[in-house]
Amino acid sequence: MDTIEKLRVELGERAYEILVGSPLIERAGHEILPLMRRRQAVIVSDETVARHYLAPLRDSLSAAGISHHAVVLPPGEATKDLDHFGKLVEEILTVGIERGTLLVALGGGVVGDLTGFAAATLLRGIDFVQIPTTLLAQVDSSVGGKTGINTRGGKNLIGAFYQPRLVLADTSVLCSLPRRELLAGYAEIVKYGLIRDADFFFWLEAKGSSVYELADNALRRAVLTSCAMKAAIVAGDEREEGERALLNFGHTFGHALEAETGFGSRLLHGEAVALGMVLAFDFAARLGIGSGQDAGRVRRHLAAAGLPTGLAEIGLAGIPADRLMGYMSKDKKVRDGRIALILPRRIGDAFIMHEAPLGLLRSFLSEAAAV
Ligand code: NAD
Ligand code: GLY
């Protein structure tokens, strides 16, 4: 059944719509045309995604009378570096673009972050549209305007806040996504319930498997609810000066695990976030802020989905706490050496602890690694 629903990210003159459902790739030309100052688009994609979805996107742009060129990059996180960024912008410039040319990011978070940063910088800023093709990109990275690339010193250290003009989340493309990538995106969906919407988490407890089994209605509801929450948070704090940091729930712990495992396929970002959220619940319970009961409930839900919930499961049993704390102290939220953590008071209610108690954190991590 064809069903498309709309949301708006309310950012004044930079406001934009998110369309969720299907078919959207086939309608992309029709949706994008009214936003265009010039009927010229450059599509950026990766080889895997292009194999599946570039042809229908091209057809759709042609049918709307939009001229188009495509740049196809190798898939994977390694593409989000300065080298590929340089090649990408050089190639786009050889096409002969003007300020009215629009970029279309067709892919997951890697393509979206890279294309968004290219749009932010080419000719000092041209428009771009996100067509996210992973679950993670549909519920998180395509919305909110964080764009950027990695450097040798760390992830996303060069970038810009630069909003897309439109997001087209075509849920039908998720059928070709490997299950592991799908579950990694599911972890980010669970995150929204845990930080701000207990009823959504309870709904996921009942219906989550329908989401990752790609049942139309459940999937669309999960993507819409996630995007609506992200849109509301971004509208209130676009540049992460306050509440937007809640979206990093599970990420400070998770980032340490990703750094240790090399930011690659050994541990996907969403898997690290799942385990990071469990650690945040356990640590909150240890501090007497949250309850062990909630922590157990969250662990059970993520484990039932097939996501990692313990350090031993990802081969990090026995890792020294100081090693993890070393990574955590390089987090972008660190101020004057103080580690900030997003912690839960209960399911659906998270807050920012600006200065985590380091001694307790160290002993907590040692125990978590010991089991
Ligand atoms: P990804 O873009 O690397 O995609 C994962 C894999 O799935 C790739 O191999 C890709 O080719 C393949 N793929 C994508 N769509 C497919 C489809 N429909 N069918 C088959 N294969 C498909 O990874 P991701 O998880 O989407 O994004 C991770 C990136 O997002 C990281 O770089 C992370 O830093 C970034 N991120 C950014 C934000 C933000 O707010 N900007 C938020 C979260 C994550
Ligand atoms: N993914 C976190 C954010 O967009 O702020």
Side-chain angles (χ1 to χ4, degrees):
M1 193 178 60
D2 294 359
T3 316
I4 293 165
E5 294 184 59
K6 273 187 196 179
L7 288 169
R8 209 171 151 72
V9 186
E10 296 293 356
L11 282 170
E13 59 185 17
R14 283 169 293 104
Y16 55 96
E17 283 185 336
I18 306 169
L19 272 58
V20 178
S22 80
L24 276 168
I25 295 209
E26 290 77 359
R27 285 176 58 88
H30 171 81
E31 299 294 343
I32 293 171
L33 185 62
L35 305 172
M36 296 190 99
R37 291 185 278 154
R38 182 167 196 253
R39 286 179 180 237
Q40 184 194 31
V42 180
I43 304 164
V44 182
S45 192
D46 74 31
E47 285 154 11
T48 310
V49 176
R51 222 169 20 248
H52 291 285
Y53 306 111
L54 183 56
L57 177 59
R58 279 182 180 280
D59 290 348
S60 159
L61 296 181
S62 298
I66 301 169
S67 78
H68 48 83
H69 178 95
V71 182
V72 178
L73 304 162
E77 188 69 30
T79 294
K80 224 179 89 172
D81 68 357
L82 271 168
D83 191 29
H84 286 89
F85 176 74
K87 288 185 187 138
L88 172 65
V89 289
E90 290 291 356
E91 185 165 346
I92 293 173
L93 287 169
T94 60
V95 173
I97 60 164
E98 296 179 8
R99 284 229 165 107
T101 304
L102 180 143
L103 301 189
V104 180
L106 174 70
V110 164
V111 165
D113 282 10
L114 196 59
T115 309
F117 189 49
T121 49
L122 278 164
L123 309 185
R124 300 204 176 88
I126 62 173
D127 288 343
F128 84 113
V129 167
Q130 291 268 18
I131 306 188
T133 63
T134 61
L135 187 55
L136 181 135
Q138 295 194 350
V139 300
D140 188 358
S141 63
S142 65
V143 175
K146 279 190 183 174
T147 73
I149 55 175
N150 307 327
T151 65
R152 275 195 289 273
K155 271 195 48 143
N156 301 323
L157 292 183
I158 298 179
F161 285 101
Y162 195 72
Q163 301 293 338
R165 296 291 316 282
L166 174 70
V167 179
L168 299 176
D170 188 326
T171 46
S172 70
V173 305
L174 300 175
C175 65
S176 54
L177 192 65
R179 185 167 175 95
R180 202 175 152 208
E181 296 285 354
L182 198 64
L183 291 179
Y186 182 73
E188 297 279 3
I189 292 178
V190 173
K191 176 188 80 179
Y192 291 106
L194 296 179
I195 58 175
R196 250 180 73 160
D197 187 345
D199 286 342
F200 182 47
F201 177 75
F202 302 149
W203 179 80
L204 290 171
E205 283 187 314
K207 296 277 191 250
S209 59
S210 310
V211 175
Y212 47 80
E213 298 306 337
L214 303 181
D216 268 351
N217 288 340
L219 177 62
R220 203 171 48 251
R221 175 165 172 191
V223 175
L224 275 167
T225 307
S226 303
C227 287
M229 200 181 307
K230 180 147 188 188
I233 290 175
V234 167
D237 178 23
E238 185 183 9
R239 298 178 73 89
E240 200 169 307
E241 281 149 353
E243 200 193 10
R244 185 166 180 169
L246 291 180
L247 295 172
N248 294 324
F249 181 55
H251 285 56
T252 305
F253 288 112
H255 189 267
L257 307 176
E258 280 183 281
E260 176 64 20
T261 51
F263 291 106
S265 58
R266 187 171 153 204
L267 184 68
L268 300 180
H269 174 71
E271 294 170 336
V273 168
L275 185 37
M277 294 192 297
V278 170
L279 290 170
F281 264 90
D282 283 343
F283 188 49
R286 170 65 58 85
L287 296 179
I289 293 165
S291 78
Q293 213 176 2
D294 276 354
R297 195 165 172 175
V298 170
R299 174 182 277 104
R300 279 192 298 280
H301 181 62
L302 294 169
L307 284 158
T309 58
L311 291 172
E313 284 171 60
I314 60 165
L316 294 186
I319 182 170
D322 278 332
R323 199 167 161 86
L324 291 176
M325 292 194 45
Y327 296 122
M328 291 171 84
S329 65
K330 294 202 184 80
D331 187 80
K332 286 198 209 67
K333 290 188 293 304
V334 168
R335 296 281 176 275
D336 301 326
R338 292 188 290 269
I339 296 178
L341 284 177
I342 316 302
L343 292 179
R345 290 188 191 91
R346 63 186 73 79
I347 288 170
D349 180 12
F351 72 103
I352 305 165
M353 176 182 267
H354 291 284
E355 186 170 0
L358 298 186
L360 288 172
L361 182 59
R362 186 173 291 106
S363 53
F364 165 75
L365 288 171
S366 293
E367 285 165 37
V371 281

